[in-house]
Amino acid sequence: MSDLHQSNRRLWNEWSDEFQAIWRSDTDEDELPPAPSPFAEDAPGGAQPQILDGIEGKAYVELGCGGGQGSVGTAELGADPVVGVDFSGDQLQYARELRDEYGVDAQFVQGDVTDLPLPDDRFDVASSEAAFQMVPAIDRAFAEAHRVLREGGVFVFSVMHPLHEALDPETRTLEESYVDAGPREIEIREEYEELLTVFDRPVAELHNGLVDAGFEVRRLLEHHNHEVEQNEPEESDSPDVMWEIPQSVRFWAVAR
Ligand SMILES: C[S@@+](CC[C@H](N)C(=O)[O-])C[C@H]1O[C@@H](n2cnc3c(N)ncnc32)[C@H](O)[C@@H]1O
C-alpha cells in the first residue's frame, strides 16, 4: 500500500466516529438510521436507467462501503449475497453494526479497492459511491471492479462532480483548474494527524478510465445535491450557484 493510501486510511479511521454520527444525526432513538441503496427508485439523480433487471437475488459488492449504508440498503432490496469492502477498519465496524440493526445478511471485508480480496467473476452488480476520488491509481480500481464482475455485470460508479469541487460558491469562481487539477489536500480537523488527499478528475477522464478497463458506459447522470433536488431555491440557504451545477457524477456501465 502506498504512503498516500496509508495516510488516507488513517484519516478515515480518525474521522469515522464523526462521519457516521452525521449519517445518524436525524435519526430518533426508536428509528433505524438511513441506509439508501443506489438501486432504490428514489436514488439520487431522479429516474434511474433501465439497465439492470432488478437487484433482487443478484450477487452485489460495494467498493469503499464506509459505514455500509449502500450495502445494507441493497440487501434490504433483496440482493444476495452482499459484500462491502473498505480499507478502514473503523468504518467497517459501523457497517457491521448497521447490518445487525437492520437484521440483513451482508459481509464486510477489509481491503483496498485497487487490490480486492475477492475472486474473479464473482458478482452480478458492483457499486461505488464517493470513494474512488481518494484513490491515486484509479485505473487499478476500475480494473479490479471489472475483474470481480462477471461478463455483463453492472457497475454503478459515482464520485463528487469535479466542477462542484473546483467551484467556490461564494465568489462563483474556480479555485482550481477543471482540466488539470492535481491532488488536493483537505484538512478535515486541525487535531487530526492526517490530511485527506483527493483527485478531482474531469468527467472525460473517469469515462475513459472505465472504457479502458473494459466497461461499456451506458448512462451518465449528473445530479444536484439532495437539498437542491428536494427544495425550491428560495427555501435554502445554499448559494444560488448550487442550482446551476451538479454535485455528483454517476456512471452506469456494463462489464465486457
Ligand atoms: C466518503 S466515504 C463514502 C462511504 C460510502 N460509500 C458512503 O457513500 O457513505 C469514502 C470511503 O472510501 C473508503 N476508501 C477510500 N479509499 C479507499 C481504498 N483505496 N480502498 C478501500 N476503501 C477506500 C474510506 O475508508 C471511506 O469509508
Side-chain angles (χ1 to χ4, degrees), residues 84-121:
V85 182
D86 202 285
F87 68 1
S88 158
D90 289 49
Q91 290 277 76
L92 289 172
Q93 203 46 45
Y94 279 103
R96 294 185 185 111
E97 282 171 21
L98 187 71
R99 170 197 63 195
D100 296 346
E101 281 177 89
Y102 271 79
V104 293
D105 273 341
Q107 190 192 351
F108 290 102
V109 181
Q110 190 160 15
D112 195 297
V113 295
T114 62
D115 187 15
L116 292 171
L118 300 170
D120 296 357
D121 306 320

Side-chain angles (χ1 to χ4, degrees), residues 49-66:
Q50 299 297 310
I51 290 167
L52 194 60
D53 176 23
I55 191 72
E56 205 175 336
K58 300 278 194 319
Y60 165 67
V61 62
E62 184 182 15
L63 307 173
C65 65

Side-chain angles (χ1 to χ4, degrees), residues 1-11 87 112 194:
M1 206 188 262
S2 71
D3 289 351
L4 204 158
H5 269 86
Q6 296 210 33
S7 60
N8 269 355
R9 183 162 59 89
R10 283 195 296 267
L11 183 279
F87 68 1
D112 195 297
E194 307 290 350

